[in-house]
Amino acid sequence: MNQHHFSHSNVAQSFKVPLIPSLALYLVFALFLFGLAVSLFILVLVHNPLFFLSYLFLFALIAAFLVWNSISFRNNTTILHYLRSLPDADLTVARHGHLVKITGLVSCGNVSLESSYEKVGRCVYTSTLLFECGKLGLKPADVKESCFGWRLAYSERLSTDFYITDKNSGIRAFVKAGPDSRVIPLIKESRLVTTAKNCKVLASHLRKWLRDRNLSSEARLLCLEEGYIKEGSTISVFGILQRSNDVMVVTPPQELISTGCLWKKLLLPVDVDGLILAMP
């Protein structure tokens, strides 16, 4: 466990930033070096720091833009903003094969799930993440709340087919989110357990949970988070609508979906490959 990340999942999260050609990256790097050289030359020759300071300011803006997009990508912020910018589909007129966003109440299908740690039943999606403090030689400022070396040691993400009732029309649709479907859950996990540095023995329930998964139950810095979508919850689903008479089925898209550039949020495009589940 101290060396690997173990996973038990039927949820394949697939989203990425479109690849930038290597030639473009080399060109940007070359322009950066050229601009730095010119600004330093002017600074030394003319003793005018204005151009050099302007160049540093421009570079800081570009760096901040890239850092903002990197953080947004890791936190799924880009996909969330994209999803929330879309209107809910009108299922009474929505066409077969079109992308739709449906917001409504969830109900279980033939198979329901139970959350791994809290044992919450009648769920359509569950997620349990176990983090442990890595051995990086850094001590956290507050051992009860944080650690500079948290890393994912074990994860469980499961989803199953379910029904969603559109809040606007009351129409019920079947959502294909089972083992054979590509699902992108944008569900935030809640922190349930955080062990302290001076903890000598883990709680009995946590030890049993670890042993049931063949994980080490020795005392150490751990953080366990869990999230789920329970029957009766309100969520948004984004996928392809399949219509057959009066039966409606939402399935994962067969092709990549691009969020496009969200200029108002200063976000670059992200490619999404799968059925999106999110809290509205």
Side-chain angles (χ1 to χ4, degrees):
M1 176 175 173
N2 293 328
Q3 300 296 329
H4 302 284
H5 162 214
F6 295 93
S7 176
H8 175 55
S9 173
N10 71 347
V11 176
Q13 301 189 72
S14 179
F15 43 89
K16 59 184 180 179
V17 176
L19 294 177
I20 301 175
S22 300
L23 180 60
L25 294 176
Y26 290 136
L27 182 60
V28 170
F29 184 68
L31 290 174
F32 166 74
L33 293 179
F34 177 75
L36 181 62
V38 170
S39 61
L40 288 175
F41 176 77
I42 294 176
L43 177 63
V44 173
L45 188 65
V46 186
H47 301 289
N48 186 351
L50 181 60
F51 187 82
F52 179 69
L53 294 176
S54 300
Y55 177 78
L56 290 181
F57 178 72
L58 178 61
F59 176 75
L61 288 179
I62 296 175
F65 173 75
L66 295 177
V67 170
W68 162 245
N69 274 271
S70 176
I71 295 174
S72 299
F73 177 76
R74 293 184 180 182
N75 296 335
N76 299 327
T77 304
T78 304
I79 305 176
L80 279 172
H81 281 308
Y82 170 72
L83 185 64
R84 288 168 182 171
S85 69
L86 299 174
D88 290 327
D90 184 354
L91 294 185
T92 59
V93 296
R95 296 182 180 180
H96 174 84
H98 281 205
L99 284 167
V100 294
K101 172 190 170 185
I102 304 173
T103 301
L105 293 177
V106 167
S107 56
C108 294
N110 294 330
V111 178
S112 62
L113 303 174
E114 182 182 69
S115 66
S116 174
Y117 191 79
E118 287 190 299
K119 301 298 182 183
V120 178
R122 303 294 293 175
C123 297
V124 300
Y125 166 79
T126 63
S127 171
T128 306
L129 309 176
L130 178 69
F131 299 88
E132 65 177 8
C133 189
K135 299 178 180 179
L136 301 177
L138 297 173
K139 294 182 179 180
D142 184 349
V143 295
K144 294 183 179 181
E145 297 295 336
S146 62
C147 170
F148 293 133
W150 287 122
R151 69 178 185 84
L152 184 62
Y154 178 83
S155 68
E156 292 181 11
R157 286 190 175 96
L158 300 171
S159 64
T160 186
D161 300 336
F162 62 92
Y163 293 94
I164 184 169
T165 303
D166 180 34
K167 68 176 184 178
N168 295 321
S169 64
I171 296 176
R172 197 184 194 205
F174 184 69
V175 181
K176 292 285 291 181
D180 298 328
S181 300
R182 301 183 308 279
V183 178
I184 299 176
L186 305 180
I187 309 299
K188 186 174 179 60
E189 290 82 11
S190 300
R191 181 174 296 187
L192 300 181
V193 178
T194 304
T195 60
K197 181 182 179 182
N198 57 0
C199 177
K200 296 182 179 179
V201 180
L202 299 178
S204 58
H205 181 54
L206 180 58
R207 291 201 311 271
K208 181 180 184 303
W209 185 88
L210 292 169
R211 286 196 297 265
D212 289 344
R213 286 150 185 82
N214 295 320
L215 303 175
S216 172
S217 59
E218 64 180 11
R220 60 195 184 281
L221 280 172
L222 294 175
C223 175
L224 188 141
E225 299 179 350
E226 190 164 78
Y228 49 81
I229 300 175
K230 184 177 172 59
E231 187 174 52
S233 302
T234 299
I235 69 167
S236 293
V237 175
F238 184 64
I240 294 291
L241 179 66
Q242 307 287 342
R243 301 187 69 139
S244 178
N245 297 325
D246 293 332
V247 178
M248 295 191 181
V249 181
V250 182
T251 62
Q254 298 300 315
E255 300 178 352
L256 289 176
I257 302 171
S258 176
T259 63
C261 292
L262 305 178
W263 295 116
K264 291 183 178 180
K265 302 293 183 179
L266 298 178
L267 293 173
L268 294 172
V270 172
D271 289 338
V272 180
D273 184 16
L275 181 79
I276 301 178
L277 309 179
M279 293 296 181

